[in-house]
Coordinates of all heavy atoms in Angstrom, one line a residue:
E68 N 95.8 73.5 42.4 CA 96.5 74.7 42.1 C 95.8 76.0 42.8 O 96.6 76.9 43.1 CB 96.3 74.9 40.5 CG 97.2 73.9 39.7 CD 97.0 74.0 38.3 OE1 95.8 74.3 37.8 OE2 97.9 73.7 37.5
I69 N 94.5 75.9 42.9 CA 93.8 77.0 43.6 C 94.2 77.0 45.1 O 94.5 78.1 45.6 CB 92.3 76.8 43.5 CG1 91.9 77.0 42.0 CG2 91.6 77.8 44.3 CD1 90.4 76.7 41.8
D70 N 94.3 75.8 45.7 CA 94.8 75.8 47.1 C 96.2 76.3 47.2 O 96.5 77.0 48.2 CB 94.6 74.4 47.6 CG 93.2 73.9 47.7 OD1 92.3 74.8 47.8 OD2 92.9 72.7 47.7
D71 N 97.1 75.9 46.3 CA 98.4 76.3 46.3 C 98.5 77.9 46.2 O 99.3 78.5 47.0 CB 99.3 75.7 45.2 CG 99.4 74.2 45.5 OD1 99.3 73.8 46.6 OD2 99.8 73.5 44.5
L72 N 97.8 78.4 45.3 CA 97.8 79.9 45.2 C 97.3 80.6 46.5 O 97.8 81.7 46.9 CB 97.0 80.3 44.0 CG 97.5 80.0 42.6 CD1 96.5 80.3 41.5 CD2 98.8 80.8 42.4
C73 N 96.2 80.0 47.1 CA 95.7 80.7 48.3 C 96.7 80.6 49.4 O 96.9 81.6 50.3 CB 94.4 80.0 48.7 SG 93.1 80.3 47.6
E74 N 97.4 79.5 49.5 CA 98.5 79.4 50.6 C 99.6 80.3 50.3 O 100.2 80.8 51.3 CB 99.0 77.9 50.6 CG 98.0 76.9 51.1 CD 98.5 75.5 51.1 OE1 99.7 75.3 50.8 OE2 97.7 74.6 51.5
E75 N 100.0 80.6 49.1 CA 101.1 81.5 48.8 C 100.7 83.0 49.0 O 101.6 83.8 49.2 CB 101.6 81.3 47.4 CG 102.2 79.9 47.2 CD 102.5 79.6 45.7 OE1 102.2 80.6 44.8 OE2 102.9 78.6 45.4
W76 N 99.4 83.2 48.9 CA 99.0 84.7 49.0 C 99.2 85.2 50.4 O 98.7 84.6 51.4 CB 97.5 84.8 48.6 CG 97.0 86.2 48.6 CD1 97.3 87.2 47.8 CD2 96.1 86.7 49.6 NE1 96.7 88.3 48.2 CE2 95.9 88.1 49.3 CE3 95.4 86.2 50.6 CZ2 95.0 88.9 50.0 CZ3 94.5 87.0 51.3 CH2 94.3 88.3 51.0
V77 N 99.8 86.4 50.5 CA 100.0 87.0 51.7 C 99.3 88.4 51.7 O 99.7 89.3 50.9 CB 101.5 87.3 52.1 CG1 101.7 88.0 53.4 CG2 102.2 85.9 52.1
P78 N 98.3 88.7 52.5 CA 97.6 90.0 52.5 C 98.5 91.1 53.0 O 99.4 90.9 53.8 CB 96.3 89.7 53.4 CG 96.8 88.6 54.3 CD 97.7 87.8 53.5
E79 N 98.2 92.3 52.5 CA 99.0 93.4 52.9 C 98.6 93.8 54.4 O 97.4 93.7 54.7 CB 98.7 94.7 52.0 CG 99.5 95.9 52.4 CD 99.2 97.0 51.4 OE1 98.6 96.8 50.4 OE2 99.8 98.1 51.7
S80 N 99.5 94.1 55.2 CA 99.3 94.4 56.6 C 98.4 95.6 56.8 O 98.4 96.6 56.0 CB 100.6 94.7 57.3 OG 100.3 95.0 58.7
L81 N 97.4 95.5 57.7 CA 96.5 96.6 58.0 C 97.2 97.7 58.9 O 96.6 98.8 59.0 CB 95.3 96.1 58.7 CG 94.4 95.2 58.0 CD1 93.3 94.5 58.8 CD2 93.8 95.9 56.8
H82 N 98.3 97.5 59.4 CA 99.0 98.5 60.3 C 100.5 98.3 60.1 O 101.0 97.3 59.7 CB 98.6 98.2 61.7 CG 98.8 96.8 62.2 ND1 100.1 96.4 62.6 CD2 98.1 95.7 62.4 CE1 100.2 95.2 63.0 NE2 98.9 94.7 62.8
P83 N 101.2 99.3 60.6 CA 102.7 99.3 60.4 C 103.2 98.2 61.5 O 102.5 97.9 62.4 CB 103.2 100.7 60.8 CG 102.0 101.3 61.5 CD 100.8 100.7 61.0
P84 N 104.4 97.8 61.3 CA 105.0 96.8 62.2 C 105.0 97.3 63.7 O 105.2 98.5 63.9 CB 106.4 96.6 61.7 CG 106.4 97.1 60.3 CD 105.4 98.2 60.2
I85 N 104.7 96.4 64.6 CA 104.6 96.8 66.0 C 106.0 96.6 66.6 O 106.6 95.5 66.6 CB 103.6 95.8 66.7 CG1 102.2 96.1 66.2 CG2 103.6 96.1 68.2 CD1 101.2 95.2 66.8
T86 N 106.6 97.6 67.1 CA 108.0 97.6 67.7 C 107.8 97.3 69.1 O 106.8 97.4 69.8 CB 108.7 99.0 67.4 OG1 108.0 100.0 68.1 CG2 108.7 99.2 65.9
E87 N 109.1 97.1 69.7 CA 109.1 96.8 71.2 C 108.7 98.0 72.0 O 108.0 97.9 73.0 CB 110.5 96.4 71.6 CG 110.9 95.1 71.1 CD 110.0 93.9 71.6 OE1 109.7 94.0 72.8 OE2 109.7 93.0 70.9
E88 N 109.0 99.2 71.5 CA 108.5 100.4 72.2 C 107.0 100.6 72.3 O 106.5 101.1 73.3 CB 109.1 101.7 71.5 CG 110.6 101.9 71.5 CD 111.3 101.0 70.5 OE1 110.6 100.3 69.7 OE2 112.5 101.1 70.4
M89 N 106.3 100.1 71.2 CA 104.9 100.1 71.3 C 104.2 99.2 72.3 O 103.1 99.4 72.7 CB 104.3 99.8 69.9 CG 104.7 100.9 68.8 SD 104.1 100.3 67.2 CE 104.7 101.6 66.2
K90 N 105.0 98.2 72.7 CA 104.4 97.2 73.6 C 104.5 97.5 75.0 O 104.1 96.9 75.9 CB 105.1 95.8 73.4 CG 104.9 95.2 72.0 CD 105.7 93.9 71.8 CE 105.5 93.3 70.4 NZ 106.3 92.0 70.2
V91 N 105.2 98.7 75.3 CA 105.4 99.1 76.7 C 104.1 99.5 77.3 O 103.4 100.4 76.7 CB 106.5 100.2 76.8 CG1 106.6 100.7 78.3 CG2 107.8 99.7 76.3
E92 N 103.8 99.0 78.5 CA 102.5 99.4 79.2 C 102.7 100.6 80.1 O 103.6 100.5 80.9 CB 102.0 98.2 80.0 CG 101.5 97.1 79.1 CD 100.2 97.4 78.3 OE1 99.4 98.3 78.9 OE2 100.0 96.8 77.3
P93 N 102.0 101.6 79.9 CA 102.1 102.8 80.8 C 101.6 102.5 82.2 O 100.9 101.4 82.4 CB 101.2 103.9 80.2 CG 100.1 103.1 79.5 CD 100.8 101.8 79.0
P94 N 102.1 103.2 83.2 CA 101.6 103.0 84.6 C 100.1 103.1 84.7 O 99.5 103.9 84.0 CB 102.3 104.1 85.4 CG 103.5 104.5 84.6 CD 103.1 104.3 83.2
T95 N 99.5 102.3 85.5 CA 98.1 102.3 85.7 C 97.7 102.9 87.0 O 98.2 102.5 88.1 CB 97.5 100.8 85.6 OG1 97.9 100.2 84.4 CG2 96.0 100.9 85.8
L96 N 96.8 104.0 87.0 CA 96.4 104.6 88.2 C 95.4 103.8 88.9 O 94.5 103.2 88.2 CB 95.9 106.0 87.9 CG 96.9 107.1 87.8 CD1 97.8 106.9 86.6 CD2 96.2 108.5 87.7
E97 N 95.4 103.7 90.2 CA 94.5 102.9 91.0 C 93.6 103.8 91.9 O 92.9 103.3 92.8 CB 95.2 101.9 91.8 CG 96.0 100.9 91.0 CD 97.0 100.1 91.8 OE1 97.0 100.2 93.0 OE2 97.7 99.2 91.2
S98 N 93.7 105.1 91.6 CA 92.8 106.1 92.4 C 92.6 107.3 91.5 O 93.2 107.3 90.4 CB 93.5 106.4 93.8 OG 94.6 107.2 93.6
A99 N 91.9 108.3 92.0 CA 91.7 109.5 91.3 C 93.0 110.2 90.9 O 94.0 110.1 91.7 CB 90.7 110.4 92.1
A100 N 93.0 110.8 89.7 CA 94.2 111.5 89.2 C 94.4 112.8 89.8 O 94.7 113.8 89.1 CB 94.2 111.5 87.7
G101 N 94.4 113.0 91.1 CA 94.6 114.2 91.8 C 96.1 114.5 92.0 O 96.9 113.8 91.4
P102 N 96.4 115.4 92.8 CA 97.8 115.9 93.0 C 98.6 114.6 93.6 O 99.8 114.6 93.4 CB 97.7 117.0 94.0 CG 96.4 117.6 93.8 CD 95.5 116.5 93.4
H103 N 97.9 113.7 94.3 CA 98.5 112.5 94.7 C 97.6 111.4 94.3 O 96.4 111.4 94.3 CB 98.7 112.5 96.3 CG 99.4 113.6 96.8 ND1 98.9 114.8 97.1 CD2 100.8 113.7 97.1 CE1 99.8 115.6 97.6 NE2 101.0 115.0 97.6
T104 N 98.2 110.3 93.8 CA 97.5 109.1 93.3 C 98.2 107.8 93.7 O 99.3 107.9 94.3 CB 97.3 109.2 91.8 OG1 96.4 108.2 91.4 CG2 98.6 109.1 91.1
V105 N 97.6 106.7 93.3 CA 98.2 105.4 93.7 C 98.6 104.7 92.5 O 97.7 104.5 91.5 CB 97.2 104.7 94.5 CG1 97.8 103.3 94.9 CG2 96.9 105.3 95.9
I106 N 99.7 104.2 92.3 CA 100.2 103.4 91.2 C 100.9 102.1 91.7 O 101.8 102.2 92.6 CB 101.2 104.2 90.3 CG1 100.5 105.4 89.7 CG2 101.8 103.2 89.2 CD1 101.4 106.2 88.8
D107 N 100.4 101.0 91.3 CA 100.9 99.7 91.8 C 100.9 99.6 93.4 O 101.9 99.1 94.0 CB 102.3 99.5 91.3 CG 102.3 99.4 89.7 OD1 101.4 98.8 89.2 OD2 103.4 99.7 89.1
G108 N 99.9 100.1 94.0 CA 99.7 100.1 95.4 C 100.6 101.0 96.2 O 100.6 101.1 97.4
K109 N 101.2 102.0 95.5 CA 102.2 102.9 96.1 C 101.7 104.3 95.8 O 101.3 104.8 94.7 CB 103.6 102.8 95.5 CG 104.6 103.7 96.1 CD 106.0 103.3 95.7 CE 106.3 103.4 94.2 NZ 107.6 103.2 93.8
K110 N 101.6 105.1 96.9 CA 101.2 106.5 96.7 C 102.2 107.4 96.1 O 103.4 107.3 96.6 CB 100.8 107.1 98.1 CG 100.1 108.5 98.0 CD 99.6 108.9 99.4 CE 98.9 110.3 99.3 NZ 98.4 110.8 100.6
V111 N 102.0 108.1 95.1 CA 102.9 108.9 94.4 C 102.4 110.4 94.2 O 101.2 110.6 94.3 CB 103.2 108.3 93.0 CG1 103.8 106.9 93.1 CG2 102.0 108.4 92.1
V112 N 103.4 111.3 94.0 CA 103.1 112.7 93.6 C 102.8 112.7 92.2 O 103.7 112.3 91.4 CB 104.2 113.6 94.1 CG1 103.8 115.1 93.8 CG2 104.5 113.5 95.6
N113 N 101.7 113.2 91.8 CA 101.3 113.2 90.4 C 101.5 114.6 89.7 O 100.8 115.5 89.9 CB 99.8 112.8 90.4 CG 99.3 112.7 88.9 OD1 100.0 112.6 88.0 ND2 97.9 112.6 88.8
F114 N 102.5 114.5 88.7 CA 102.7 115.7 87.9 C 102.4 115.3 86.4 O 102.9 116.0 85.5 CB 104.1 116.2 88.0 CG 104.3 117.0 89.2 CD1 104.6 116.5 90.4 CD2 104.2 118.5 89.1 CE1 104.8 117.3 91.6 CE2 104.4 119.2 90.2 CZ 104.7 118.7 91.5
A115 N 101.6 114.2 86.2 CA 101.3 113.7 84.9 C 99.9 114.0 84.4 O 99.5 113.7 83.3 CB 101.6 112.2 84.8
S116 N 99.0 114.6 85.3 CA 97.7 114.9 84.9 C 97.5 116.4 84.9 O 97.9 117.1 85.8 CB 96.7 114.3 86.0 OG 96.9 112.8 86.0
A117 N 96.7 116.8 83.8 CA 96.5 118.3 83.7 C 95.4 118.7 84.5 O 94.4 119.5 84.0 CB 96.2 118.6 82.2
N118 N 95.5 118.5 85.8 CA 94.4 118.9 86.8 C 94.9 120.3 87.3 O 95.2 120.5 88.5 CB 94.4 117.9 87.9 CG 93.5 118.2 89.0 OD1 92.5 118.9 88.8 ND2 93.8 117.8 90.3
Y119 N 94.9 121.3 86.5 CA 95.5 122.6 86.8 C 94.9 123.2 88.0 O 95.7 123.8 88.8 CB 95.3 123.5 85.6 CG 96.1 123.1 84.3 CD1 95.4 123.0 83.1 CD2 97.4 122.7 84.4 CE1 96.1 122.6 82.0 CE2 98.1 122.3 83.3 CZ 97.5 122.3 82.1 OH 98.1 121.9 80.9
L120 N 93.6 123.2 88.2 CA 93.0 123.9 89.3 C 92.7 123.0 90.5 O 92.2 123.4 91.5 CB 91.7 124.5 88.9 CG 91.6 125.5 87.7 CD1 90.3 126.0 87.4 CD2 92.6 126.6 88.0
G121 N 93.2 121.8 90.4 CA 93.1 120.8 91.5 C 91.7 120.4 91.8 O 91.2 120.2 93.0

Side-chain angles (χ1 to χ4, degrees):
E68 290 173 330
I69 294 174
D70 292 339
D71 291 340
L72 288 173
C73 290
E74 290 179 2
E75 293 173 3
W76 180 70
V77 178
E79 185 177 351
S80 177
L81 293 174
H82 57 79
I85 298 176
T86 62
E87 289 300 320
E88 293 82 358
M89 296 178 182
K90 297 179 181 178
V91 176
E92 290 292 332
T95 302
L96 276 63
E97 299 169 1
S98 68
H103 301 90
T104 188
V105 177
I106 296 176
D107 295 329
K109 181 172 62 174
K110 189 174 182 180
V111 300
V112 180
N113 183 13
F114 280 86
S116 302
N118 177 30
Y119 296 129
L120 302 181

